[in-house]
Amino acid sequence: MKITKRYIAAFAALLLSVPAWAQVPAPAAKQSKPVLLKGATLHVGNGTVVENAAVGFDNGKITYAGPQSGANLNGYEVVDVTGQHIYPGLIHTNSSLGLNEIESVRATIDWREVGDFNPNVRSVVAYNTDSDIIPTIRANGVLMTQLTPIGGTVSGSSSIVQLDAWNWEDAIVKADEGLHLNWPAMLIETGNATPDPRLRGRAEAREETLNQLAKLLRDGAVYKSGKHDSENLKLAAMAGLFDGTKKLYIHANYGKEIIEAVNFVKPYGIKDIVIVGARDAMAVVDFLKANNLSVIYSGVHALPGRSEDDVDMPYKTPYLLHKAGVPFALDYDLSIHGIRNLPFIAGTAAAYGLDKEQALASVSLNAAKILGIEKQAGSVEVGKDATLVVSAGDLLDMRTNNVTSAFIQGRKIDLNNKQKFLYDKFDNKYKIDTKGVVN
């Protein structure tokens, strides 16, 4: 077909007609001058609330956080946020954000690799900073996430990223901070008079998987000791497990599986273990405490795991964990679209026993501590990154959450996204005038 000027003009017009939301907003420029937010209620993230507060930051770091009366305004660009609330940027754990775009297109799914044992896989190198989902999540106050690989028995390493970057290298907050182990499900007899012949096969397959895992851990410990002649990328990736510089995240829900998994890995000298999922956490709470285990609890907005459980058991488990003294954070499982509801997960926990500030900590400072980034994130304190959120209402309340501005490492980020564009588009189309008539 002959390409004419008419076709070129038509194609150019088509490109110009693509709405602005089709592209993810460009990352914000580095903070160029000191900023001080004044007049808001400050929710520090560690349980402290300061009325009529001020928060100052310069070069991406918080320089002041406290009563407005004590703030030094000299040299700062003062932003009046009176009547609003300042929170630390929320942190989502156990996430595949940016690793999965279109479910039906294999080339866009980077959250898992072929094979059962992949400790050398690094999820962060596949992170897509241009995901359309990221801006919708930031708009609700979630500014950091833990990129987590899934699949197989040993999935690979997770990394912590902030959600406003040109590429994965710029996004990294902490790289390869933990290894993820999906514990093989236990096989439970149903009590049928005639045993299922398939059960034996599954039991043998599970036993073989555990044998391979034991060998991997054994070889990893030997490799870490320096007793090897050649480089092994899989074993090298596991080295941090044995000196405490890398966490082991065990994904398990069933109480007996949690106990079995921890008892299985501890003899190999693994020092820092976190249980992810933990639906049965309260059934094994004494075991969690005795072994100094932290928990990433995934099931707040879910049905009870057992028929005998209270109907509100998932809602009140965070309070029960707090009451028992078990360190925990909350996540929204691996639903990338649901991450935007992370603050409301914490809000539900607050409605079922947790104090509002304790609930905030479960998605901010507690998460930062579990992930090992509490010295730079998780709370609004002097010396930490200026990663924070300003909301006109209660950030944890779905009815009043209204993020008016957000900063990542001192950079004011663009909060526009596709969902806001669509809301405004159809709000204007079906706008109702004062007489109740659709325009």
Side-chain angles (χ1 to χ4, degrees), residues 157-216:
S157 294
S158 57
S159 296
I160 317 303
V161 296
Q162 50 86 4
L163 301 183
D164 186 60
W166 287 104
N167 50 59
W168 65 265
E169 293 98 331
D170 294 343
I172 288 178
V173 174
K174 187 174 183 180
D176 306 320
E177 44 77 37
L179 203 66
H180 291 259
L181 167 61
N182 300 299
W183 192 250
M186 281 184 163
L187 301 174
I188 302 173
E189 293 282 358
T190 60
N192 291 336
T194 304
D196 187 341
R198 295 171 297 180
L199 192 61
R200 176 177 294 181
R202 290 198 294 267
E204 290 174 352
R206 184 177 192 269
E207 187 66 27
E208 176 59 23
T209 296
L210 293 179
N211 288 337
Q212 292 181 50
L213 177 60
K215 184 180 186 304
L216 183 67

Side-chain angles (χ1 to χ4, degrees), residues 247-298:
K247 297 177 185 290
L248 178 63
Y249 295 92
I250 299 177
H251 294 248
N253 281 301
Y254 183 39
K256 289 185 177 180
E257 291 172 357
I258 293 172
I259 294 173
E260 181 188 37
V262 173
N263 288 337
F264 186 96
V265 303
K266 275 216 162 185
Y268 297 97
I270 295 176
K271 301 178 182 299
D272 198 344
I273 300 173
V274 179
I275 306 300
V276 182
R279 183 194 64 202
D280 272 358
M282 292 313 300
V284 293
V285 67
D286 292 336
F287 178 82
L288 297 173
K289 293 177 64 177
N291 288 274
N292 298 315
L293 301 174
S294 300
V295 167
I296 295 176
Y297 184 66
S298 301

Side-chain angles (χ1 to χ4, degrees), residues 5 11 52 55 67 74 88 118 132 167 171 188 218 303 330 362:
K5 291 183 179 180
F11 181 68
N52 194 23
V55 175
N74 294 331
N118 297 298
D132 283 338
N167 50 59
I188 302 173
R218 194 163 52 244
L303 294 172
L330 302 179
S362 72

Side-chain angles (χ1 to χ4, degrees), residues 136-385:
T136 69
I137 291 167
R138 300 188 314 202
N140 273 3
V142 182
L143 304 183
M144 299 173 67
T145 192
Q146 178 194 32
L147 300 178
T148 304
I150 66 172
T153 303
V154 178
S155 304
S157 294
S158 57
S159 296
I160 317 303
V161 296
Q162 50 86 4
L163 301 183
D164 186 60
W166 287 104
N167 50 59
W168 65 265
E169 293 98 331
D170 294 343
I172 288 178
V173 174
K174 187 174 183 180
D176 306 320
E177 44 77 37
L179 203 66
H180 291 259
L181 167 61
N182 300 299
W183 192 250
M186 281 184 163
L187 301 174
I188 302 173
E189 293 282 358
T190 60
N192 291 336
T194 304
D196 187 341
R198 295 171 297 180
L199 192 61
R200 176 177 294 181
R202 290 198 294 267
E204 290 174 352
R206 184 177 192 269
E207 187 66 27
E208 176 59 23
T209 296
L210 293 179
N211 288 337
Q212 292 181 50
L213 177 60
K215 184 180 186 304
L216 183 67
L217 293 174
R218 194 163 52 244
D219 292 348
V222 172
Y223 189 91
K224 175 66 172 68
S225 69
K227 298 177 182 179
H228 55 85
D229 299 324
S230 59
E231 185 177 12
N232 185 308
L233 296 180
K234 288 191 174 185
L235 300 182
M238 298 171 60
L241 294 178
F242 307 105
D243 61 16
T245 59
K246 204 167 191 176
K247 297 177 185 290
L248 178 63
Y249 295 92
I250 299 177
H251 294 248
N253 281 301
Y254 183 39
K256 289 185 177 180
E257 291 172 357
I258 293 172
I259 294 173
E260 181 188 37
V262 173
N263 288 337
F264 186 96
V265 303
K266 275 216 162 185
Y268 297 97
I270 295 176
K271 301 178 182 299
D272 198 344
I273 300 173
V274 179
I275 306 300
V276 182
R279 183 194 64 202
D280 272 358
M282 292 313 300
V284 293
V285 67
D286 292 336
F287 178 82
L288 297 173
K289 293 177 64 177
N291 288 274
N292 298 315
L293 301 174
S294 300
V295 167
I296 295 176
Y297 184 66
S298 301
V300 175
H301 282 183
L303 294 172
R306 301 171 180 272
S307 59
E308 65 270 20
D309 284 345
D310 294 343
V311 68
D312 57 359
M313 188 65 186
Y315 308 151
K316 64 185 181 182
T317 292
Y319 166 70
L320 296 175
L321 288 171
H322 172 76
K323 187 177 179 181
V326 176
F328 74 95
L330 302 179
D331 80 345
Y332 204 87
D333 209 343
L334 285 168
S335 168
I336 52 177
H337 298 282
I339 296 173
R340 70 190 70 166
N341 293 321
L342 181 66
F344 313 136
I345 291 289
T348 298
Y352 282 82
L354 276 185
D355 174 87
K356 220 31 172 324
E357 301 309 311
Q358 295 166 353
L360 172 63
S362 72
V363 289
S364 56
L365 187 56
N366 287 4
K369 288 178 178 178
I370 290 174
L371 300 177
I373 56 172
E374 71 275 14
K375 292 184 178 179
Q376 65 187 102
S379 59
V380 185
E381 298 179 88
V382 173
K384 292 191 175 185
D385 288 350

